[in-house]
Structure formats: C-alpha cells, structure tokens
Amino acid sequence: METQKLTYLSHIQVFRDLSPNELMQTDRQLTMSSCEPGKIFYMPEDSGEVLFLLKKGQVQIYRLAPNGKKLVVGTLGPGAIFGEMSLVGQGMHNTFAEAVDDCLLCVMSRADVERLLREKPDVAFRFLETMGDRVSTLETHLEDIAFKSIPARLAGLLLRLSEEHGSDDLQGYTHQDLSEMLGTYRETVTQTLNEFKAEGLITIGRKRITLKDKRRLEDLALS
C-alpha cells in the first residue's frame, strides 16, 4: 500500500518537483481510502479540512440551483486533486463533489497541506497553476452557456469527451448526464442528439453515442 501511494504521488502534477525523499515524507501524511458511486465528499458551506487526490475513478464537481437543477462544472479523473479551493481560499466549499463510480483516493489534512505549501514553494506554485486551470475551465464553460447555441455546446462536449476517453465510442452517458454538463434540460439534449443522428453526425444506442463525423462536429462546435 505504501509503495502504491508513493508511485501515485510521483504522477500528480502538484508534486512533480519533489525529490524522492520529499515524496516519501509527503506519503507519510496521506491516508488511502475507497468509496462507492454516490459518495458525497463535501457540499457547499462545509469547511475545507482535507485535500483529496484521486487515484482511480471519476468525481463530479457540481452546483445546485435553488430550483434543484444540477449544473456540472467539472468531471475529474485519475491524477486530479480536489478540495484545494477551500483549503487555500475562503475556507469553505461552494460546490458539491460526488463519486461517479468506484473511487480510490488519498486524503491529506488541512494542516499538512498548509505546512507543505509553506515549506515547498514549488508545490505552492503548482497549486496556483491547478487553481488557475480550474478557474479558466469554469470561465470557458460560462462563456459557452452565455454565447453559444445548444447544438454548438453539445458538439463541443461530445468532442471533449471523445478526447478524454481516447475513443469516438462514448459509453455510460445518459441524456440527463449530458444535460447537467451543459446546464440545460434533458428534453433539449434529446432533441439535439436526434438532430445530430438525422444529419449523420452520430449514432445513438442505450447509454452509447458514437461520433461518425468529427469534422462537421468541430465546425458546429465553433459556430
């Protein structure tokens, strides 16, 4: 288990500047745990007491509107960290973090994170990079919602998912999942997917979407 944690740490972006000895010291400050789909790691107004380092699985970061509508602001995969915004910011979370599937992760306490940031400027810099990337991604998402049509946003989402999975065959996503990622209604996504299918851009199966004409999807995503 200790060897697994050390190997895992060496592949996390924020720790890439640490020496093997420093990685071993950091490793001693971590605990490893597993969880099932649906596990809520934190919710708005929870105090940020730990940093999560995702080794296996996916975690969804989202917000809920007053009417209960869900808006996914990010889906994190292996190698990602989360919970950092509250640790180095205002000290409170403003989103939900939920396990999408079976997850394996390491957890570091707030005190250990603060000590590491004080003692290792390179790690602090990588944290700032990570936070900047997270904010930039959110700003791009908000710009898409404000300025792009649903077909353009959906085409862009399908292309992004295809790139993340390394496959044109997307499995496991429901129309509701896609609507939450786009911040729109399921019925709107279903109608748009059917239009894409009729135009020969995709094929649709049960929790399965296959991209057939990526060039036209790319053109549509930029429109």
Side-chain angles (χ1 to χ4, degrees):
M1 185 68 75
E2 293 301 318
T3 302
Q4 289 179 346
K5 286 194 293 182
L6 192 59
T7 301
Y8 171 55
L9 279 179
S10 67
H11 290 89
I12 294 181
Q13 180 75 3
V14 295
F15 298 131
R16 73 178 191 183
D17 298 309
L18 295 181
S19 68
N21 284 338
E22 289 171 332
L23 283 173
M24 289 181 66
Q25 293 173 8
T26 302
D27 172 68
R28 298 189 192 102
Q29 301 166 351
L30 296 173
T31 57
M32 187 174 286
S33 63
S34 59
C35 67
E36 297 179 347
K39 164 72 175 179
I40 301 292
F41 298 104
Y42 57 74
M43 59 184 62
E45 303 307 317
D46 282 352
S47 59
E49 299 302 328
V50 296
L51 176 72
F52 299 93
L53 301 89
L54 185 60
K55 177 176 174 57
K56 178 183 177 182
Q58 287 189 319
V59 171
Q60 202 173 72
I61 310 296
Y62 62 90
R63 300 188 183 195
L64 289 180
N67 62 1
K69 186 178 178 182
K70 182 177 178 181
L71 174 61
V72 176
V73 298
T75 301
L76 310 178
I81 65 173
F82 59 103
E84 80 285 352
M85 299 295 278
S86 63
L87 283 177
V88 296
Q90 72 274 27
M92 301 292 286
H93 294 291
N94 58 9
T95 55
F96 293 83
E98 180 178 343
V100 176
D101 45 24
D102 291 328
C103 290
L104 183 64
L105 60 157
C106 297
V107 180
M108 179 181 264
S109 73
R110 183 189 187 97
D112 286 335
V113 171
E114 291 177 345
R115 181 165 50 252
L116 183 62
L117 295 181
R118 286 195 302 268
E119 296 176 355
K120 308 295 180 184
D122 287 341
V123 174
F125 178 73
R126 298 301 174 196
F127 260 88
L128 289 176
E129 282 188 329
T130 298
M131 293 174 64
D133 290 343
R134 198 73 52 84
V135 171
S136 178
T137 299
L138 179 57
E139 288 178 344
T140 299
H141 187 43
L142 293 175
E143 287 176 0
D144 287 348
I145 291 176
F147 302 120
K148 286 190 175 183
S149 66
I150 295 297
R153 288 160 55 195
L154 181 55
L157 174 60
L158 294 177
L159 290 168
R160 177 170 62 80
L161 293 175
S162 173
E163 181 177 356
E164 291 176 357
H165 291 283
S167 172
D168 293 342
D169 192 25
L170 306 177
Q171 300 186 43
Y173 293 99
T174 66
H175 294 190
Q176 183 65 34
D177 292 334
L178 298 176
S179 71
E180 291 170 353
M181 294 179 189
L182 293 175
T184 189
Y185 296 101
R186 180 186 58 78
E187 294 81 4
T188 303
V189 167
T190 297
Q191 178 182 344
T192 307
L193 286 173
N194 286 333
E195 291 172 357
F196 284 4
K197 179 182 177 182
E199 294 171 11
L201 305 181
I202 61 173
T203 58
I204 303 174
R206 181 173 177 80
K207 287 191 176 183
R208 183 171 186 171
I209 300 172
T210 303
L211 279 56
K212 306 300 291 185
D213 194 334
K214 294 180 71 172
R215 176 168 299 212
R216 288 173 62 197
L217 285 171
E218 290 168 355
D219 290 341
L220 182 56
L222 295 174
S223 63

